[in-house]
PDB file of all heavy atoms in Angstrom:
ATOM      1  N   VAL A 794      27.939 -99.792 -57.518  1.00 86.00           N
ATOM      2  CA  VAL A 794      26.621-100.308 -57.945  1.00 86.00           C
ATOM      3  C   VAL A 794      26.265 -99.820 -59.298  1.00 86.00           C
ATOM      4  O   VAL A 794      25.754-100.549 -60.142  1.00 86.00           O
ATOM      5  CB  VAL A 794      25.559 -99.990 -56.845  1.00 86.00           C
ATOM      6  CG1 VAL A 794      24.186-100.276 -57.402  1.00 86.00           C
ATOM      7  CG2 VAL A 794      25.830-100.697 -55.597  1.00 86.00           C
ATOM      8  N   ALA A 795      26.550 -98.528 -59.553  1.00 85.00           N
ATOM      9  CA  ALA A 795      26.183 -97.922 -60.871  1.00 85.00           C
ATOM     10  C   ALA A 795      26.977 -98.624 -62.000  1.00 85.00           C
ATOM     11  O   ALA A 795      26.485 -98.819 -63.067  1.00 85.00           O
ATOM     12  CB  ALA A 795      26.495 -96.447 -60.866  1.00 85.00           C
ATOM     13  N   ALA A 796      28.217 -99.031 -61.663  1.00 85.00           N
ATOM     14  CA  ALA A 796      29.050 -99.653 -62.701  1.00 85.00           C
ATOM     15  C   ALA A 796      28.675-101.163 -62.872  1.00 85.00           C
ATOM     16  O   ALA A 796      28.966-101.704 -63.901  1.00 85.00           O
ATOM     17  CB  ALA A 796      30.539 -99.558 -62.303  1.00 85.00           C
ATOM     18  N   ASP A 797      28.043-101.700 -61.878  1.00 78.00           N
ATOM     19  CA  ASP A 797      27.918-103.192 -61.884  1.00 78.00           C
ATOM     20  C   ASP A 797      26.727-103.571 -60.994  1.00 78.00           C
ATOM     21  O   ASP A 797      26.882-104.165 -59.913  1.00 78.00           O
ATOM     22  CB  ASP A 797      29.187-103.826 -61.335  1.00 78.00           C
ATOM     23  CG  ASP A 797      29.115-105.335 -61.265  1.00 78.00           C
ATOM     24  OD1 ASP A 797      28.309-105.928 -61.917  1.00 78.00           O
ATOM     25  OD2 ASP A 797      29.917-105.902 -60.464  1.00 78.00           O
ATOM     26  N   GLU A 798      25.468-103.259 -61.494  1.00 71.00           N
ATOM     27  CA  GLU A 798      24.303-103.440 -60.619  1.00 71.00           C
ATOM     28  C   GLU A 798      24.107-104.835 -60.167  1.00 71.00           C
ATOM     29  O   GLU A 798      23.779-105.091 -59.078  1.00 71.00           O
ATOM     30  CB  GLU A 798      23.081-102.933 -61.363  1.00 71.00           C
ATOM     31  CG  GLU A 798      21.814-102.954 -60.498  1.00 71.00           C
ATOM     32  CD  GLU A 798      20.597-102.448 -61.234  1.00 71.00           C
ATOM     33  OE1 GLU A 798      20.649-102.060 -62.388  1.00 71.00           O
ATOM     34  OE2 GLU A 798      19.508-102.367 -60.564  1.00 71.00           O
ATOM     35  N   ARG A 799      24.368-105.801 -61.063  1.00 70.00           N
ATOM     36  CA  ARG A 799      24.045-107.185 -60.735  1.00 70.00           C
ATOM     37  C   ARG A 799      25.263-108.084 -60.381  1.00 70.00           C
ATOM     38  O   ARG A 799      25.217-109.252 -60.455  1.00 70.00           O
ATOM     39  CB  ARG A 799      23.242-107.787 -61.821  1.00 70.00           C
ATOM     40  CG  ARG A 799      21.840-107.293 -61.887  1.00 70.00           C
ATOM     41  CD  ARG A 799      20.925-107.904 -62.891  1.00 70.00           C
ATOM     42  NE  ARG A 799      19.550-107.522 -62.593  1.00 70.00           N
ATOM     43  CZ  ARG A 799      18.694-108.318 -62.107  1.00 70.00           C
ATOM     44  NH1 ARG A 799      18.998-109.544 -61.801  1.00 70.00           N
ATOM     45  NH2 ARG A 799      17.483-107.897 -61.872  1.00 70.00           N
ATOM     46  N   GLU A 800      26.271-107.371 -59.916  1.00 67.00           N
ATOM     47  CA  GLU A 800      27.487-108.109 -59.393  1.00 67.00           C
ATOM     48  C   GLU A 800      28.081-109.027 -60.407  1.00 67.00           C
ATOM     49  O   GLU A 800      28.355-110.164 -60.125  1.00 67.00           O
ATOM     50  CB  GLU A 800      27.082-108.849 -58.109  1.00 67.00           C
ATOM     51  CG  GLU A 800      28.331-109.204 -57.310  1.00 67.00           C
ATOM     52  CD  GLU A 800      27.941-109.563 -55.871  1.00 67.00           C
ATOM     53  OE1 GLU A 800      27.108-108.963 -55.260  1.00 67.00           O
ATOM     54  OE2 GLU A 800      28.633-110.583 -55.353  1.00 67.00           O
ATOM     55  N   GLY A 801      28.320-108.519 -61.609  1.00 66.00           N
ATOM     56  CA  GLY A 801      29.089-109.376 -62.618  1.00 66.00           C
ATOM     57  C   GLY A 801      30.574-109.252 -62.294  1.00 66.00           C
ATOM     58  O   GLY A 801      31.263-110.223 -62.481  1.00 66.00           O
ATOM     59  N   GLY A 802      31.059-108.099 -61.755  1.00 75.00           N
ATOM     60  CA  GLY A 802      32.453-107.992 -61.508  1.00 75.00           C
ATOM     61  C   GLY A 802      32.808-107.196 -60.281  1.00 75.00           C
ATOM     62  O   GLY A 802      32.842-107.666 -59.154  1.00 75.00           O
ATOM     63  N   GLN A 803      32.940-105.833 -60.509  1.00 83.00           N
ATOM     64  CA  GLN A 803      33.473-104.944 -59.451  1.00 83.00           C
ATOM     65  C   GLN A 803      32.667-104.984 -58.181  1.00 83.00           C
ATOM     66  O   GLN A 803      33.233-104.899 -57.068  1.00 83.00           O
ATOM     67  CB  GLN A 803      33.508-103.496 -60.022  1.00 83.00           C
ATOM     68  CG  GLN A 803      34.316-102.527 -59.238  1.00 83.00           C
ATOM     69  CD  GLN A 803      34.035-101.121 -59.567  1.00 83.00           C
ATOM     70  OE1 GLN A 803      33.211-100.781 -60.437  1.00 83.00           O
ATOM     71  NE2 GLN A 803      34.698-100.167 -58.876  1.00 83.00           N
ATOM     72  N   ARG A 804      31.378-105.151 -58.317  1.00 87.00           N
ATOM     73  CA  ARG A 804      30.544-105.133 -57.108  1.00 87.00           C
ATOM     74  C   ARG A 804      30.969-106.212 -56.109  1.00 87.00           C
ATOM     75  O   ARG A 804      30.737-106.069 -54.888  1.00 87.00           O
ATOM     76  CB  ARG A 804      29.078-105.303 -57.473  1.00 87.00           C
ATOM     77  CG  ARG A 804      28.148-105.173 -56.272  1.00 87.00           C
ATOM     78  CD  ARG A 804      26.726-104.891 -56.673  1.00 87.00           C
ATOM     79  NE  ARG A 804      25.874-104.817 -55.455  1.00 87.00           N
ATOM     80  CZ  ARG A 804      24.627-104.360 -55.433  1.00 87.00           C
ATOM     81  NH1 ARG A 804      24.080-103.979 -56.540  1.00 87.00           N
ATOM     82  NH2 ARG A 804      23.990-104.279 -54.298  1.00 87.00           N
ATOM     83  N   ALA A 805      31.520-107.356 -56.621  1.00 89.00           N
ATOM     84  CA  ALA A 805      31.926-108.366 -55.752  1.00 89.00           C
ATOM     85  C   ALA A 805      32.960-107.925 -54.718  1.00 89.00           C
ATOM     86  O   ALA A 805      33.054-108.512 -53.658  1.00 89.00           O
ATOM     87  CB  ALA A 805      32.405-109.592 -56.544  1.00 89.00           C
ATOM     88  N   LEU A 806      33.730-106.875 -55.013  1.00 93.00           N
ATOM     89  CA  LEU A 806      34.716-106.389 -54.116  1.00 93.00           C
ATOM     90  C   LEU A 806      34.145-106.014 -52.766  1.00 93.00           C
ATOM     91  O   LEU A 806      34.737-106.061 -51.702  1.00 93.00           O
ATOM     92  CB  LEU A 806      35.476-105.151 -54.684  1.00 93.00           C
ATOM     93  CG  LEU A 806      36.228-105.373 -55.962  1.00 93.00           C
ATOM     94  CD1 LEU A 806      37.015-104.108 -56.295  1.00 93.00           C
ATOM     95  CD2 LEU A 806      37.229-106.527 -55.741  1.00 93.00           C
ATOM     96  N   LEU A 807      32.835-105.580 -52.815  1.00 93.00           N
ATOM     97  CA  LEU A 807      32.160-105.126 -51.542  1.00 93.00           C
ATOM     98  C   LEU A 807      32.019-106.342 -50.552  1.00 93.00           C
ATOM     99  O   LEU A 807      31.693-106.091 -49.453  1.00 93.00           O
ATOM    100  CB  LEU A 807      30.734-104.617 -51.883  1.00 93.00           C
ATOM    101  CG  LEU A 807      30.719-103.359 -52.740  1.00 93.00           C
ATOM    102  CD1 LEU A 807      29.301-103.041 -53.157  1.00 93.00           C
ATOM    103  CD2 LEU A 807      31.358-102.147 -52.018  1.00 93.00           C
ATOM    104  N   ASN A 808      32.325-107.530 -51.067  1.00 92.00           N
ATOM    105  CA  ASN A 808      32.168-108.674 -50.164  1.00 92.00           C
ATOM    106  C   ASN A 808      33.514-109.081 -49.449  1.00 92.00           C
ATOM    107  O   ASN A 808      33.624-110.133 -48.902  1.00 92.00           O
ATOM    108  CB  ASN A 808      31.712-109.902 -50.992  1.00 92.00           C
ATOM    109  CG  ASN A 808      30.284-109.726 -51.490  1.00 92.00           C
ATOM    110  OD1 ASN A 808      29.419-109.273 -50.781  1.00 92.00           O
ATOM    111  ND2 ASN A 808      30.085-110.071 -52.727  1.00 92.00           N
ATOM    112  N   LEU A 809      34.447-108.130 -49.419  1.00 96.00           N
ATOM    113  CA  LEU A 809      35.637-108.407 -48.728  1.00 96.00           C
ATOM    114  C   LEU A 809      35.330-108.876 -47.273  1.00 96.00           C
ATOM    115  O   LEU A 809      34.538-108.153 -46.542  1.00 96.00           O
ATOM    116  CB  LEU A 809      36.569-107.110 -48.601  1.00 96.00           C
ATOM    117  CG  LEU A 809      37.819-107.313 -47.706  1.00 96.00           C
ATOM    118  CD1 LEU A 809      38.884-108.191 -48.391  1.00 96.00           C
ATOM    119  CD2 LEU A 809      38.410-105.949 -47.351  1.00 96.00           C
ATOM    120  N   GLY A 810      35.869-109.981 -46.863  1.00 97.00           N
ATOM    121  CA  GLY A 810      35.655-110.468 -45.517  1.00 97.00           C
ATOM    122  C   GLY A 810      34.319-111.172 -45.364  1.00 97.00           C
ATOM    123  O   GLY A 810      34.108-111.855 -44.310  1.00 97.00           O
ATOM    124  N   HIS A 811      33.434-111.115 -46.362  1.00 94.00           N
ATOM    125  CA  HIS A 811      32.086-111.677 -46.170  1.00 94.00           C
ATOM    126  C   HIS A 811      32.010-113.183 -46.318  1.00 94.00           C
ATOM    127  O   HIS A 811      31.204-113.784 -45.693  1.00 94.00           O
ATOM    128  CB  HIS A 811      31.147-110.989 -47.183  1.00 94.00           C
ATOM    129  CG  HIS A 811      30.745-109.574 -46.730  1.00 94.00           C
ATOM    130  ND1 HIS A 811      31.654-108.582 -46.520  1.00 94.00           N
ATOM    131  CD2 HIS A 811      29.527-109.052 -46.392  1.00 94.00           C
ATOM    132  CE1 HIS A 811      30.980-107.475 -46.161  1.00 94.00           C
ATOM    133  NE2 HIS A 811      29.703-107.749 -46.107  1.00 94.00           N
ATOM    134  N   THR A 812      32.853-113.748 -47.239  1.00 93.00           N
ATOM    135  CA  THR A 812      32.808-115.219 -47.323  1.00 93.00           C
ATOM    136  C   THR A 812      33.240-115.877 -46.063  1.00 93.00           C
ATOM    137  O   THR A 812      32.566-116.838 -45.569  1.00 93.00           O
ATOM    138  CB  THR A 812      33.643-115.651 -48.534  1.00 93.00           C
ATOM    139  OG1 THR A 812      33.272-114.899 -49.705  1.00 93.00           O
ATOM    140  CG2 THR A 812      33.540-117.084 -48.775  1.00 93.00           C
ATOM    141  N   PHE A 813      34.283-115.393 -45.402  1.00 96.00           N
ATOM    142  CA  PHE A 813      34.676-115.871 -44.141  1.00 96.00           C
ATOM    143  C   PHE A 813      33.622-115.537 -43.071  1.00 96.00           C
ATOM    144  O   PHE A 813      33.249-116.360 -42.240  1.00 96.00           O
ATOM    145  CB  PHE A 813      36.020-115.288 -43.681  1.00 96.00           C
ATOM    146  CG  PHE A 813      37.217-115.551 -44.576  1.00 96.00           C
ATOM    147  CD1 PHE A 813      37.590-114.628 -45.615  1.00 96.00           C
ATOM    148  CD2 PHE A 813      37.944-116.713 -44.397  1.00 96.00           C
ATOM    149  CE1 PHE A 813      38.663-114.926 -46.387  1.00 96.00           C
ATOM    150  CE2 PHE A 813      39.046-116.967 -45.201  1.00 96.00           C
ATOM    151  CZ  PHE A 813      39.385-116.085 -46.236  1.00 96.00           C
ATOM    152  N   GLY A 814      33.148-114.306 -43.156  1.00 95.00           N
ATOM    153  CA  GLY A 814      32.225-113.822 -42.152  1.00 95.00           C
ATOM    154  C   GLY A 814      30.864-114.622 -42.115  1.00 95.00           C
ATOM    155  O   GLY A 814      30.337-114.907 -41.128  1.00 95.00           O
TER     156      GLY A 814
END
Side-chain angles (χ1 to χ4, degrees):
Chain A
V794 170
D797 179 22
E798 185 178 1
R799 287 182 167 255
E800 198 165 319
Q803 193 194 359
R804 184 162 180 169
L806 297 184
L807 299 172
N808 292 318
L809 176 71
H811 283 58
T812 305
F813 298 96

